[in-house]
Amino acid sequence: MIIEGTWKGEYVYDEYCKVPFQQVTIPFTVSIRQSGVMGMSGGFEGIWQDESAKSNITIAANIYGLVTDQELFFVKLYPKTFGYDELGNFFVGDEPHPEIFYKGLLWKDDILHGTWKIGRTFRKVNGRLYEISDGSGLWWIKKT
C-alpha cells in the first residue's frame, strides 16, 4: 500500500471518554512520507494537524509508523501536553503529551479507517499535577 501524500480525515472519542467533545468528530489533515524503519520497507512518518476550532489543539503532532499490504500501525506524538481540567478548562504544558497509538485497515484504494487509544497517565503543568485520562475511539482518512 502506498501511503505517501496528503490525507484528510476525522477522529472521534468513544462515548465513555471524559472530554467535552464526546462523540464530536474532530477533522484533521496529515501529510505522510515513506521512510525506513530499522531497515524495513513500509515505514512512514508525517505531520498531523488537528482542526483547532473543534479540538483547541493548535500544535502539530509527529507520526511514525509501519504499513503492510492492508494494515498500518503508528504512534502520534504531540510536543506538548494538553487536556481539560476538572472545570472543563483546556490546558497546555511544556512536557510531551503521552503517546497515542493508532491501527487501521485499507478500506478502499484511497480510504483508511481504524481505532486509536491512549493510556491513563499524569503530567505536571505549571506546578500542578493533571490526570490525562485513558481514551479510545475511531478514525478515518481519505487521500486528497
Side-chain angles (χ1 to χ4, degrees), residues 82-134:
F82 55 84
Y84 291 88
D85 66 16
E86 64 278 355
L87 300 175
N89 299 312
F90 188 73
F91 66 83
V92 177
D94 288 332
E95 289 186 41
H97 196 274
E99 296 174 330
I100 305 170
F101 298 95
Y102 287 75
K103 64 180 178 177
L105 296 169
L106 179 64
W107 184 46
K108 294 184 179 177
D109 288 339
D110 61 350
I111 297 175
L112 296 161
H113 70 100
T115 59
W116 63 267
K117 68 179 178 176
I118 182 173
R120 179 181 181 207
T121 191
F122 301 88
R123 291 289 191 272
K124 201 165 196 176
V125 176
N126 300 322
R128 185 168 171 217
L129 189 62
Y130 286 92
E131 176 184 2
I132 308 295
S133 298
D134 63 335

Side-chain angles (χ1 to χ4, degrees), residues 9 20 24 70 74 129 138:
V24 173
Q70 299 292 317
F74 64 94
L129 189 62
L138 303 174

Side-chain angles (χ1 to χ4, degrees), residues 11-13 19-26 54-56 84:
Y11 66 91
V12 64
Y13 287 79
V19 293
F21 41 84
Q22 294 164 337
Q23 297 299 299
V24 173
T25 55
I26 309 294
K54 283 210 173 179
S55 69
N56 288 324
Y84 291 88

